Amino acid sequence: MRAVASVLHLDLDAFFAAVEQRDKPSLRGKPVVVGGVGGRGVVSTASYEARKYGVRSAMSTREARSRCPHAAFLSGRFHAYRSTSERVMAVLREASPLVEPLSLDEAFVDLATARLPDLEIPTVTALAEQLRRQVEEVTGGLTASVGVGTSKFIAKVASELDKPDGLVVVPPGTEMDLLRPMHVSVIPGVGPATTERLRRAGIHTVADLETVSEDELIRMLGTAHGHALHQLGHARDDRPVVPERETKSVSVEGTYDTDLTDRRLMAALLTRQARNVSDRLRTSGLAGRTVTIKVRLHDFTTISRSTTLGSPTNTAGTIGRLAVGLLQDLETTGGVRLLGVGVSGLADWIQEDLFGDTDDADEAAKAGDDLDADAPSTAGAKTTTHTWAPGMDVEHAEMGRGWVWGSGRGVVTVRFETAETPPGPVRSYRIDDPDLRPWRPESGTGATLAP
DNA sequence: TCTGGGGTCCTAGGACCC
DNA sequence: TCTGGGGTCCTAGGACCC
């Protein structure tokens, strides 16, 4: 906790949904839900219009549909979110070099390293308002909520207080007055399980928490968690704003609409995921020693199995074979709803290591050699049949640009509009119509970037 | 026909070494 | 015929975050 309010937290309001409404004028003022649209999808973001109906992040899409059937359900366009996010982060980095993005729509900014005459409340307030205006400008109208305080914890709590499109500055010294009446779940790290444990001990608010000794919290929650909670419960937070953090693991997972029972299919899916992980490791110049698979059974029990090599790998062949090998030992009768592959124990990977990338002897024997797996897996054969996901940008040879309104039974429905061309006609096509193709986003960004 | 995907951090037990 | 610790690495699972 600092003596001045010099930590800023910025949070873009209903970010994914707001980008969709910006780019698709017919959705403005209407409920929009972005998330998984399949049978087992969940909501990533709901627009404020959809929240009126009780639609929330992390809710199953099925439930969201029953609460708000007339909402637009979109599967998300991450290129658009990423490029919008980059503009926002650039604005923040102009204000201070110390910017810590937490996700595409959130970041901390350290104002102690900003070019400011002082860190008094009027000064940081003016900067915060300026940043909000600039964010609106560079994003084409998106709003942000901002909080400023003496620590990350306080800044983050503050940004939640006046959503959407709000700004709250918490004056130094008033932190506990703000926190005491609040529920313990405002504290980062206090989720459902910790909330329940605290509830059973009669601890509901931060004021309740304030009276509990550190030893008692450590006894209840363990060393690390107990200590952290005791600190935050007294608004003590010295966590620095760190601009870059090292990647610790890379993983890919998927939940399937119907449970898998065919082991050969499971192996094939793991192999494909391994290629995906490998591609991502290689484009970031990383390799790792530990390969982990994740299996979620029909009853939602989740199992992980891992194995560690003598030296790092990032080849699709090794990762895939180890993953499939780990699956062999698992009992999966009853069905599998999720499969995943990850690599951790990462080390920077440089070209020379290509020749030193020898696995443990037994692994090498089991796995053969990696050379067969080194062909780029991104060069998949192009077919004319595309997967049409709601919300996806498309282009029609005659009609021009639009987006997928819906699809099913071999037909895709397109609304022809962009942010610049307000609501146009709606047309339906066969999914294999050669005149219709996915619209490629700003292809000017250069090299093929990981998805 | 409840319950995503990509992560991070922590804990606990066992192996192994000194 | 009795019983150390400490440290590190690995594995599995769980809580949590956005």
Side-chain angles (χ1 to χ4, degrees):
Chain A
M1 189 157 75
R2 309 175 179 190
V4 287
S6 59
V7 182
L8 182 148
H9 179 255
L10 180 138
D11 195 337
L12 294 157
D13 300 315
F15 180 51
F16 296 172
V19 171
E20 298 302 335
Q21 289 175 320
R22 177 194 69 188
D23 294 346
K24 297 161 186 170
S26 59
L27 296 181
R28 294 178 192 165
K30 306 245 174 67
V32 173
V33 176
V34 179
V37 292
R40 286 168 168 173
V42 301
V43 175
S44 291
T45 313
S47 71
Y48 280 86
E49 296 87 350
R51 293 183 198 190
K52 284 187 202 141
Y53 295 86
V55 179
R56 295 283 178 273
S57 295
M59 173 183 284
S60 72
T61 300
R62 183 182 312 281
E63 187 177 350
R65 279 189 204 277
S66 83
R67 287 183 187 236
C68 190
H70 59 294
F73 287 86
L74 308 176
S75 59
R77 300 142 61 234
F78 279 84
H79 64 86
Y81 310 150
R82 195 171 298 112
S83 69
T84 305
S85 176
E86 279 163 12
R87 286 184 222 171
V88 172
M89 299 303 165
V91 164
L92 301 182
R93 277 190 268 264
E94 264 177 56
S96 166
L98 265 186
V99 173
E100 177 179 342
L102 298 177
S103 60
L104 290 180
D105 66 342
E106 257 185 73
F108 285 113
V109 183
D110 195 332
L111 303 183
T113 51
R115 291 186 301 268
L116 287 174
D118 59 64
L119 292 167
E120 301 303 313
I121 287 178
T123 313
V124 298
T125 304
L127 177 65
E129 285 294 12
Q130 183 202 323
L131 289 175
R132 278 161 32 77
R133 280 194 303 273
Q134 285 180 288
V135 164
E136 203 163 339
E137 269 173 42
V138 302
T139 58
L142 300 208
T143 64
S145 295
V146 172
V148 184
T150 50
S151 67
K152 283 184 165 182
F153 176 29
I154 296 300
K156 173 128 190 176
V157 169
S159 73
E160 294 284 327
L161 289 179
D162 192 22
K163 268 178 190 263
D165 200 13
L167 167 63
V168 173
V169 181
V170 179
T174 67
E175 292 84 0
M176 285 307 291
D177 300 332
L178 174 70
L179 294 175
R180 271 190 203 99
M182 293 184 165
H183 192 258
V184 283
S185 56
V186 298
I187 297 172
V190 178
T194 307
T195 297
E196 177 57 20
R197 281 197 193 180
L198 293 173
R199 190 190 65 76
R200 273 187 246 159
I203 302 163
H204 303 93
T205 63
V206 177
D208 298 333
L209 184 63
E210 202 182 0
T211 67
V212 184
S213 73
E214 179 169 9
D215 285 350
E216 181 71 7
L217 288 173
I218 286 175
R219 211 179 44 72
M220 286 172 61
L221 305 168
T223 318
H225 203 180
H227 175 74
L229 201 53
H230 185 256
Q231 290 292 105
L232 293 174
H234 291 79
R236 292 198 278 263
D237 175 18
D238 285 317
R239 292 171 298 162
V241 177
V242 291
E244 311 237 350
R245 262 180 296 178
E246 241 177 310
T247 303
K248 302 275 174 70
S249 65
V250 172
S251 65
V252 169
E253 66 185 52
T255 294
Y256 305 98
D257 275 348
T258 53
D259 292 349
L260 308 170
T261 50
D262 179 349
R263 307 279 296 204
R264 297 208 325 284
L265 177 56
M266 293 183 217
L269 291 165
L270 283 177
T271 302
R272 192 167 76 186
Q273 292 175 330
R275 276 200 297 272
N276 202 328
V277 169
S278 165
D279 288 345
R280 286 174 49 201
L281 287 169
R282 285 167 172 246
T283 56
S284 0
L286 295 169
R289 290 175 54 226
T290 302
V291 173
T292 304
I293 64 166
K294 178 169 162 184
V295 179
R296 181 120 73 204
L297 303 176
H298 62 102
D299 65 354
F300 218 72
T301 56
T302 305
I303 300 166
S304 68
R305 289 291 181 273
S306 66
T307 185
T308 298
L309 300 167
S311 59
T313 184
N314 59 17
T315 65
T318 300
I319 298 166
R321 278 184 291 262
L322 290 173
V324 170
L326 289 165
L327 179 70
Q328 306 298 312
D329 307 335
L330 254 42
E331 175 57 52
T332 58
T333 47
V336 165
R337 60 151 41 221
L338 171 148
L339 283 177
V341 178
V343 172
S344 57
L346 300 185
D348 284 335
W349 174 76
I350 30 177
Q351 200 61 35
E352 294 88 272
D353 289 359
L354 192 56
F355 309 103
D357 186 7
T358 47
D359 299 340
D360 284 346
D362 57 338
E363 291 301 348
K366 171 162 81 177
D369 77 275
D370 288 335
L371 298 176
D372 60 329
D374 286 350
S377 58
T378 46
K382 282 277 189 307
T383 67
T384 50
T385 309
H386 304 285
T387 306
W388 304 110
M392 187 180 194
D393 289 316
V394 296
E395 184 165 34
H396 187 271
E398 271 117 51
M399 300 294 291
R401 275 191 56 199
W403 56 281
V404 175
W405 177 256
S407 68
R409 283 182 298 181
V411 172
V412 54
T413 308
V414 178
R415 180 181 282 264
F416 287 98
E417 70 171 3
T418 67
E420 293 76 37
T421 62
V426 175
R427 297 272 188 279
S428 292
Y429 303 92
R430 291 168 46 111
I431 57 166
D432 58 355
D433 190 320
D435 286 347
L436 188 67
R437 57 173 186 270
W439 182 74
R440 298 294 167 202
E442 308 90 47
S443 45
T445 39
T448 49
L449 216 59

